[in-house]
Amino acid sequence: MELFWFIPTYGDGRHIGTNRGARAITPAYLRQIATAADELGYEGVLLPTGRACEDAWVVASTLIPFTRKLKFLVAVRPGLMSPTLAARMASSFDRASEGRLLVNVVTGGDPEELEGDGVYLEHGERYEVTDEFLHVWRSTLSGHSVDHEGEHLKVTGAKIFYPPVQRPHPPLFFGGSSPAGINVAIKHCDVYLTWGEPPEQIRQKIENVREQAAASGKTLRFGIRLHVIVRETEREAWEAANDLIRYLDDDTIAKAQKVYARMDSHGQRRMADLHGGDRSKLAIGPNLWAGIGLARGGAGTALVGSPEQVAERIREYADLGIEKFILSGYPHLEEAHRIAELLFPLLPRTSAVAEANSGQQNPPAGEIVAYEHFPAANGSAPLPIPTFNRKE
């Protein structure tokens, strides 16, 4: 399996839905997260897109020189950008990063946000645009001169002169739960993404997509987007989950759910239906918790538990056919380290990760004891918390 991390370009902190423990999203902070993910051995990072985010292409391009192996999953936006411009951007980024670009196709699911960007299209029309967009994008990056006149897009003699490193083009990722979205994914994309629904729902979705893809002579790979709250014990993990929404009040939840209700995204609707905005309905499966979705759009579920429990849940998704796991946790810098420390040793990784630090002798981990002893591989039992005697 391949494990990815997340670059939080629209905010980060220790608690969601509040400014308590909030953290400013500066270029320096995003560099810290990217370099940590690169050094720790994550396959890549996802950069979100939308009006609440820093621009994904600009941010990702600033991170190229600070990383060595890390891949960048960056969005193209059919309807917001021309397919030929998007192709030139992808080719330039792929060349500058020496083949480290992955492309996330985002059609958009919030009509109000899209109108703010000048897009006045119904749900089905947006996928028609996406289909035409990807035809032109893929064809030009594959080295063809393209003439296309469709229902929504028209280009004449479209071409690019500087080809990407990855041929015929960087891999395409796509997430869409509607029939129209699935059709576009099958026709054009390499990896079908889903948000972290319970395993049975994921199984049904994967089987449906696989059957439709097979009927078209296609084979897709699958990925999932999940938050992770892992601690050394299950009790500590659930305490951390509850602490994450500790300051999230009902008014903030209501405001968030009102925004998500106006969206015509099938995937967002499926996320919202898992909890219905109700704090009492957040445990939706073994070690699967929907609390983040009370305030956050998109991926709203987290795996919660001890390292062994979370690893078991991840393996269950892998058994369904998931190969790429795009993970995150709050705050993203600290949790990148925690997950690498607690989960990576328990999961089968791809050979690419093993090669990430090839030729480099890693120093011993941990603080040297008494200036001359390396710490033991397995620590002794923790000492009791000291108490102070006092006279009553």
Side-chain angles (χ1 to χ4, degrees), residues 367-375:
E367 183 181 55
I368 294 176
V369 179
Y371 307 111
E372 62 177 83
H373 300 291
F374 291 123

Side-chain angles (χ1 to χ4, degrees), residues 280-312:
S280 67
K281 298 179 179 179
L282 300 181
I284 57 173
N287 304 105
L288 187 62
W289 181 69
I292 295 173
L294 292 174
R296 186 195 192 281
T301 54
L303 295 177
V304 182
S306 68
E308 293 76 16
Q309 290 172 322
V310 173
E312 182 179 355

Side-chain angles (χ1 to χ4, degrees), residues 218-294:
K218 285 284 297 291
T219 301
L220 290 177
R221 289 169 288 160
F222 295 90
I224 195 168
R225 173 79 180 91
L226 281 162
H227 304 278
V228 173
I229 303 173
V230 63
R231 297 295 186 270
E232 293 190 10
T233 67
E234 181 180 15
R235 178 179 178 180
E236 289 175 303
W238 284 111
E239 288 174 350
N242 290 325
D243 187 61
L244 188 61
I245 59 172
R246 178 180 176 185
Y247 301 107
L248 182 59
D249 58 43
D250 292 340
D251 183 56
T252 301
I253 294 173
K255 289 179 181 178
Q257 296 305 307
K258 183 178 180 180
V259 172
Y260 305 143
R262 78 185 182 209
M263 297 182 180
D264 57 12
S265 163
H266 288 218
Q268 183 61 62
R269 190 174 305 131
R270 291 168 70 105
M271 279 282 101
D273 288 346
L274 292 175
H275 54 75
D278 188 339
R279 289 179 183 268
S280 67
K281 298 179 179 179
L282 300 181
I284 57 173
N287 304 105
L288 187 62
W289 181 69
I292 295 173
L294 292 174

Side-chain angles (χ1 to χ4, degrees), residues 21-160:
R23 191 165 294 179
I25 297 301
T26 64
Y29 180 60
L30 298 181
R31 286 197 299 272
Q32 289 182 61
I33 297 173
T35 54
D38 190 41
E39 191 70 24
L40 292 166
Y42 289 90
E43 296 282 348
V45 287
L46 169 65
L47 291 94
T49 184
R51 66 180 177 183
C53 307
E54 294 275 21
D55 182 77
W57 286 93
V58 173
V59 171
S61 66
T62 67
L63 300 176
I64 292 173
F66 297 97
T67 54
R68 298 180 300 118
K69 300 287 186 179
L70 200 68
K71 298 176 183 177
F72 298 93
L73 182 52
V74 190
V76 292
R77 300 296 306 271
L80 272 67
M81 56 202 315
S82 82
T84 49
L85 174 61
R88 289 196 293 272
M89 291 168 60
S91 181
S92 294
F93 190 102
D94 202 45
R95 292 163 66 83
S97 65
E98 299 180 319
R100 291 191 280 144
L101 175 65
L102 305 171
V103 176
N104 188 23
V105 182
V106 177
T107 299
D110 183 353
E112 185 172 308
E113 178 180 348
L114 289 164
E115 288 173 4
D117 283 328
V119 178
Y120 296 86
L121 296 171
E122 299 297 326
H123 180 273
E125 293 176 314
R126 295 201 298 273
Y127 282 104
E128 292 173 0
V129 172
T130 301
D131 182 19
E132 294 184 33
F133 176 101
L134 291 176
H135 165 68
V136 176
W137 187 91
R138 293 173 62 208
S139 298
T140 53
L141 281 170
S142 299
H144 302 294
S145 177
V146 180
D147 295 328
H148 171 81
E149 184 170 358
E151 184 70 24
H152 303 278
L153 299 177
K154 179 180 179 180
V155 296
T156 303
K159 65 180 69 174
I160 64 169

